[in-house]
Amino acid sequence: MNSPVPGAIRVGLLLSALSLACKGDEGSKAPAESEVLTYDGSTVVSSLILPGALPAFEKKTGVRFGKIGTSGAGKGLKAALAGEVNVAGVTRSLTADELAKKPYFQIIGYDALGIWVNEANPVRGLTKAQVKSIFTGQAKNWKAVGGKNLPVVACTEKLDSAKATLETVKAVALDGAPYGPVRQMDQFEDCLKLVAADPGAIAAATFAAQQAGVRPLVVDGIALAPENVRSGAYLLSRPILLVTRSVPSGGLKQFFEFMLSPDGQAILGQKFIAIR
Amino acid sequence: MRWIRDLPVRAKVGLVVGAMALALAGEIALSLSAIERLRVGGPAYRGIREYRDAIETITSLESDLNAYQAALFALPSHLERDALRQGNARRAEIEARVDGAFQAVSSLALAEEIRVGLESAHRTWTEFRDTCRARVVPAIERGDPGGIRDLTSGPQARRSQRFIEQVATAVNQARLEVEALEVAAARDARRSVWTMAAAVAAIVAAALAVVFVVVRSITRPLRSLTASANRIAGGTIPAQRIALGTSDELGRLADVFDEMLGTVRTIVAGAQRAAARLDESSRELLAANRQMSEGAKEQATQLQAVSNETAHMAAALHELSSTADAVSRTASNNAAAAEDGALAVSETTAGLDAIRTATDEVRRALVSVMEASVRIRAIVQTLQDIADETHVLSINASIEAARAGESGHGFAVVASEVRSLAKRAADSSKEITQTAAGIFENMRAAESAVGRNITAVAKGAESSLVLGRSFEAIHESAKATHASVHEMTGVLREQVGATQRTVNVVGAVSRVSEESLAATEQIVELGSRLQEVMHDLENLLGRFAVEEDAPPGPGSPG
């Protein structure tokens, strides 16, 4: 007559263990709300994407970002690969050396630099070589590139500011050659205002700078269109990458997911080209 | 659960075994299903497998692209037509493979962002491929170096790099998905294990419940039976029936047990009543025996007494007979003596007459003395009176003397002397009176004695006459007695003989009575032993307590 009691105890133990196991399960699934993420890298990301994205992300997930560094793509990537920050923003393709370190990355969007001219400028497109000649100071009149007789006014941000746009244009379009005599302004917006006002002005600025009175040029026969930017056919296009040392988890994974979600892409799309 | 109680024990055991087997089978089935579900490649891993396949396929795209580019770089000039054809065939093969890969991954149920990323990559690839077909390959075939330049640093170079980045993004996203799926699969596996454990526990609990009910349906009746049997062993015949009311073997056993209980109750109660009655009867028998024994004893004693008395009587009769002989002889002697007595008595009577005459004379003399003494007393009385008067006179004289005073003094002395003389005279006269009275009394005593003597003598004379007549009567009587005694002696002798015979008979009766007494005592002894046996029997039966019948109620257990 002793079997029923141990039986009951067995059932009770199993059930309590089961409930404990379920609780444990839930516990491991819940995000650590105290988790604070850190960022460093591209200022394009930190100044143009994160200010709009982070409040929505934090509101949605409860995961907060602490320190947001502005060291630039290279340094930020190194910091992320060294584990000093959780995630780095990189607005260019990774180099072979960087890929050799097997980082984890995703394209969250695309950026492109438009070569903006006044709406009234008859020139529709330039080759890469023409762009180079204009910004290196070799072509001083639009006639040289098939335009009207009008002096070229090339405008850039301050040359000593090491802004990403300057670097990109220099690396991609000028093949590393130094800028020629250019009008230097504090912000690219100032250059675009100049372009809108001066029919001879030309400036390189982000895709998102689209405004009245200015028009992007076709470069190497490829227009500044989202699909051309995504495929990389457009010369001054670049991917926007989030890079981490290893496969992200927890809040970091949630951040990747958020940035690729419709909400995240909508925020990114205000100034950049979304992945779709 | 009633139906379980009604099952035969064999079926109960079968039920237990069945329940256990069912539990075991359930556990095995659940375990097998869990193993099937959780095994690598099982349903839980289907998603993971798809993603892994997708990753493999997507990763292969990168090498395909490289191979495609290599094939382009390797394109010879238009002059070598066979090699050109081979190169184009190689490209076409790679193109087909890449298209097939994109088609393959597009058919997979991948996450939205991965599909979007792959679509971008697919578009990049399509642009790259189309550009190669339209411009690069013809340029190479023409020998235009612009074609190769396009591949190395132109838009095609950027497209190929973007393609690789897009593919890497898709792979990385797929890796995240795989990781998430693995976590989910592990959670699912844990949950499955616990669900299975709970199900197994439930099955085992149900089986144990069945076993419990079955075991209880066996052990409870057995406990009831054991308890009842224990009570019987302790000497109590319980009134409560077990009355399981089930139709299995135990139920039938309980029914038979109940029936047996009823029978035992009836038997024990009957035996106890019989023993009580028997005990009472044996008591009465014993009492009667004792009484009978006492009576026999009494009888024996009395018979003994009768025997003794009879013997005594015989002896007395014998003695009487002898005495009668003696009496006969004495009576004869008496007759002679009585004759002699009558003669002596007539002589005595004559002597007595002479004595009476002399005594009468003495008496007359004494009476005269007594008369003289009476006269003396009269004289003395007179003397006495004189003395008294003299005394009174002397007192008066004394008083007168006192009145006379001094002159009477001498007279007073005379008066006093007269008074003492009067007193002496009175005293002397009293003395004389007393002496005369003494004489008178002595005389009267003498006269009385003499009178009595005279009476006695007269009586003696009279008695002598009577004696004489008596002696004559005695003589006659003695003679008659002698005759009677002689006759009686004969009768007595006959009586002695009869008495002796009586003694003999009484002795025989007494012996029989003693034997009867012994037999009675034996009966009493047997009666006592019977009483002891009855006592033992009663004790034995007294150990059984037959309970009162309980009122009909929920007596049956369960």
Side-chain angles (χ1 to χ4, degrees):
Chain A
M1 294 302 287
N2 56 353
S3 47
V5 175
I9 291 170
R10 268 172 68 185
V11 172
L13 283 175
L14 279 174
L15 291 179
S16 55
L18 193 62
S19 65
L20 277 176
C22 288
K23 279 178 189 167
D25 216 17
E26 286 161 13
S28 70
K29 202 167 66 182
E33 294 201 357
S34 59
E35 189 178 358
V36 175
L37 300 175
T38 50
Y39 169 89
D40 199 0
S42 164
T43 53
V44 169
V45 174
S46 63
S47 61
L48 297 178
I49 298 175
L50 296 185
L54 290 190
F57 169 68
E58 290 177 1
K59 188 180 172 189
K60 187 175 178 182
T61 63
V63 179
R64 282 199 317 109
F65 263 89
K67 181 190 154 211
I68 305 292
T70 53
S71 308
K75 286 183 182 174
L77 182 59
K78 273 184 189 159
L81 294 180
E84 291 161 13
V85 293
N86 296 118
V87 59
V90 178
T91 45
R92 58 171 169 76
S93 293
L94 299 179
T95 64
D97 286 348
E98 287 163 352
L99 286 172
K101 291 177 181 169
K102 306 269 182 193
Y104 180 92
F105 68 91
Q106 286 187 17
I107 300 172
I108 59 168
Y110 303 91
D111 187 23
L113 292 174
I115 305 296
W116 302 93
V117 294
N118 189 278
E119 221 173 15
N121 194 324
V123 175
R124 296 293 169 192
L126 294 173
T127 63
K128 180 186 163 190
Q130 289 170 328
V131 172
K132 182 177 176 181
S133 66
I134 285 173
F135 281 97
T136 53
Q138 287 167 357
K140 301 184 190 308
N141 194 295
W142 283 103
K143 273 201 300 186
V145 292
K148 293 193 286 186
N149 185 8
L150 195 68
V152 171
V153 179
C155 181
T156 65
E157 296 152 302
K158 293 256 167 58
L159 288 180
D160 58 357
S161 69
K163 289 277 179 79
T165 306
L166 286 170
E167 299 291 323
T168 303
V169 170
K170 187 178 174 183
V172 174
L174 310 188
D175 294 325
Y179 284 94
V182 292
R183 283 280 294 273
Q184 296 182 38
M185 311 283 267
D186 285 337
Q187 306 287 338
F188 67 88
E189 289 90 344
D190 301 327
C191 285
L192 284 178
K193 279 176 189 161
L194 178 70
V195 170
D198 185 343
I202 182 170
T206 178
F207 164 84
Q210 179 75 56
Q211 57 179 279
V214 298
R215 175 167 52 78
L217 292 175
V218 173
V219 178
D220 272 346
I222 294 169
L224 178 61
E227 59 273 19
N228 289 334
V229 174
R230 290 191 190 108
S231 70
Y234 181 75
L235 174 66
L236 290 162
S237 72
R238 53 185 181 178
I240 302 172
L241 306 177
L242 288 180
V243 187
T244 63
R245 186 157 68 159
S246 55
V247 179
S249 63
L252 199 53
K253 177 168 175 274
Q254 285 179 306
F255 182 61
F256 273 91
E257 285 166 355
F258 175 77
M259 286 315 299
L260 289 174
S261 72
D263 288 349
Q265 287 294 303
I267 293 165
L268 182 137
Q270 289 167 4
K271 290 172 181 171
F272 300 96
I273 295 166
I275 57 170
R276 73 177 92 188
Chain B
M1 294 302 169
R2 165 84 202 193
W3 63 274
I4 290 181
R5 292 216 310 264
D6 284 341
L7 286 177
V9 170
R10 190 181 299 173
K12 282 176 180 167
V13 172
L15 189 64
V16 167
V17 171
M20 284 308 182
L22 212 61
L24 187 64
E27 287 174 34
I28 289 170
L30 281 169
S31 303
L32 287 178
S33 88
I35 288 168
E36 172 61 24
R37 182 171 166 69
L38 298 178
R39 78 183 163 83
V40 175
Y45 292 93
R46 189 172 295 139
I48 295 174
R49 200 174 55 225
E50 285 197 357
Y51 274 103
R52 287 202 187 284
D53 290 349
I55 288 171
E56 202 177 320
T57 307
I58 297 165
T59 308
S60 75
L61 290 173
E62 189 180 336
S63 53
D64 282 339
L65 184 81
N66 289 333
Y68 194 83
Q69 284 178 315
L72 288 171
F73 287 133
L75 275 184
S77 76
H78 61 287
L79 297 174
E80 299 171 47
R81 291 206 169 273
D82 285 349
L84 198 62
R85 215 172 21 246
Q86 277 179 7
N88 284 337
R90 169 94 179 118
R91 275 194 302 109
E93 181 194 322
I94 295 171
E95 284 171 9
R97 199 160 65 219
V98 171
D99 287 341
F102 274 115
Q103 199 152 9
V105 293
S106 74
S107 70
L108 294 175
L110 300 177
E112 173 71 6
E113 61 265 26
I114 298 177
R115 287 203 290 106
V116 168
L118 284 173
E119 279 165 21
S120 298
H122 196 192
R123 272 198 303 276
T124 305
W125 157 254
T126 308
E127 268 185 46
F128 178 81
R129 182 196 64 195
D130 292 349
T131 305
C132 283
R133 283 175 182 168
R135 293 218 308 269
V136 177
V137 172
I140 292 171
E141 284 179 350
R142 280 195 314 271
D144 180 354
I148 294 298
R149 197 166 54 240
D150 200 352
L151 283 178
T152 52
S153 60
Q156 289 296 77
R158 291 195 295 277
R159 284 191 181 105
S160 66
Q161 184 172 18
R162 185 62 45 81
F163 177 78
I164 287 168
E165 285 165 359
Q166 284 167 337
V167 162
T169 295
V171 166
N172 280 341
Q173 284 170 338
R175 283 166 67 193
L176 272 193
E177 291 297 329
V178 166
E179 193 139 312
L181 283 172
E182 280 173 348
V183 169
R187 193 169 57 227
D188 191 37
R190 270 202 305 277
R191 202 170 285 161
S192 293
V193 167
W194 283 112
T195 307
M196 191 194 78
V200 167
I203 289 172
V204 168
L208 286 177
V210 169
V211 169
F212 173 67
V213 169
V214 167
V215 169
R216 229 164 80 107
S217 77
I218 294 172
T219 53
R220 265 181 75 166
L222 286 179
R223 274 210 306 274
S224 295
L225 282 167
T226 306
S228 205
N230 265 335
R231 293 195 68 190
I232 295 169
T236 302
I237 315 291
Q240 195 181 343
R241 296 164 61 81
I242 292 172
L244 289 180
T246 59
S247 57
D248 62 342
E249 292 94 326
L250 290 166
R252 290 202 294 280
L253 174 61
D255 290 345
V256 172
F257 191 87
D258 281 341
E259 214 172 302
M260 182 194 79
L261 215 59
T263 310
V264 168
R265 277 168 60 79
T266 310
I267 289 171
V268 169
Q272 282 176 339
R273 280 196 300 276
R277 279 206 302 275
L278 200 54
D279 185 46
E280 203 180 330
S281 302
S282 81
R283 262 180 230 282
E284 283 171 12
L285 181 64
L286 187 62
N289 282 343
R290 285 208 176 110
Q291 220 169 337
M292 196 165 82
S293 169
E294 290 303 317
K297 266 186 211 160
E298 182 70 27
Q299 193 186 25
T301 311
Q302 282 180 1
L303 276 172
Q304 189 61 49
V306 167
S307 172
N308 290 347
E309 286 302 315
T310 313
H312 282 155
M313 196 165 76
L317 280 171
H318 190 69
E319 205 172 330
L320 190 60
S321 176
S322 310
T323 309
D325 281 346
V327 166
S328 178
R329 279 192 305 274
T330 307
S332 144
N333 292 345
N334 279 357
E339 232 174 330
D340 293 349
L343 192 64
V345 165
S346 73
E347 285 171 6
T348 304
T349 303
L352 281 172
D353 279 341
I355 290 168
R356 196 177 61 187
T357 311
T359 307
D360 267 342
E361 281 171 16
V362 171
R363 191 180 169 196
R364 272 184 312 264
L366 283 174
V367 169
S368 9
V369 172
M370 278 167 66
E371 279 167 3
S373 127
V374 168
R375 276 189 319 268
I376 292 166
R377 274 170 66 183
I379 296 161
V380 170
Q381 188 62 48
T382 309
L383 283 173
Q384 182 76 40
D385 291 344
I386 296 164
D388 287 344
E389 274 173 34
T390 308
H391 184 68
V392 172
L393 285 173
S394 72
I395 289 169
N396 287 328
S398 296
I399 291 167
E400 288 302 325
R403 262 182 213 146
E406 203 61 34
S407 53
H409 186 67
F411 190 68
V413 173
V414 175
S416 174
E417 286 298 322
V418 169
R419 199 167 65 221
S420 60
L421 269 177
K423 194 172 179 306
R424 268 167 24 208
D427 290 345
S428 298
S429 60
K430 274 181 192 168
E431 232 172 295
I432 294 163
T433 307
Q434 280 167 2
T435 305
I439 292 166
F440 178 79
E441 286 300 315
N442 287 337
M443 288 305 121
R444 207 173 58 181
E447 187 265 347
S448 174
V450 170
R452 282 199 302 275
N453 214 3
I454 293 165
T455 311
V457 169
K459 278 185 180 171
E462 206 173 322
S463 296
S464 295
L465 284 175
V466 172
L467 195 59
R469 283 196 297 276
S470 293
F471 274 119
E472 277 168 28
I474 288 168
H475 179 65
E476 292 302 315
S477 160
K479 277 200 285 190
T481 300
H482 178 67
S484 299
V485 165
H486 191 67
E487 199 176 339
M488 194 171 71
T489 304
V491 172
L492 276 174
R493 281 200 184 106
E494 282 171 25
Q495 185 69 36
V496 166
T499 303
Q500 192 54 51
R501 286 194 297 278
T502 304
V503 166
N504 292 346
V505 169
V506 166
V509 168
S510 181
R511 277 194 301 282
V512 169
S513 168
E514 271 165 13
E515 278 167 22
S516 159
L517 177 60
T520 309
E521 275 169 354
Q522 214 168 342
I523 289 171
V524 169
E525 174 66 25
L526 284 173
S528 287
R529 244 183 277 167
L530 176 62
Q531 185 72 35
E532 277 167 25
V533 170
M534 283 314 304
H535 194 64
D536 289 348
L537 178 61
E538 250 185 335
N539 277 347
L540 212 55
L541 284 169
R543 283 172 53 198
F544 289 100
V546 179
E547 282 191 344
E548 291 296 313
D549 274 323
S556 61

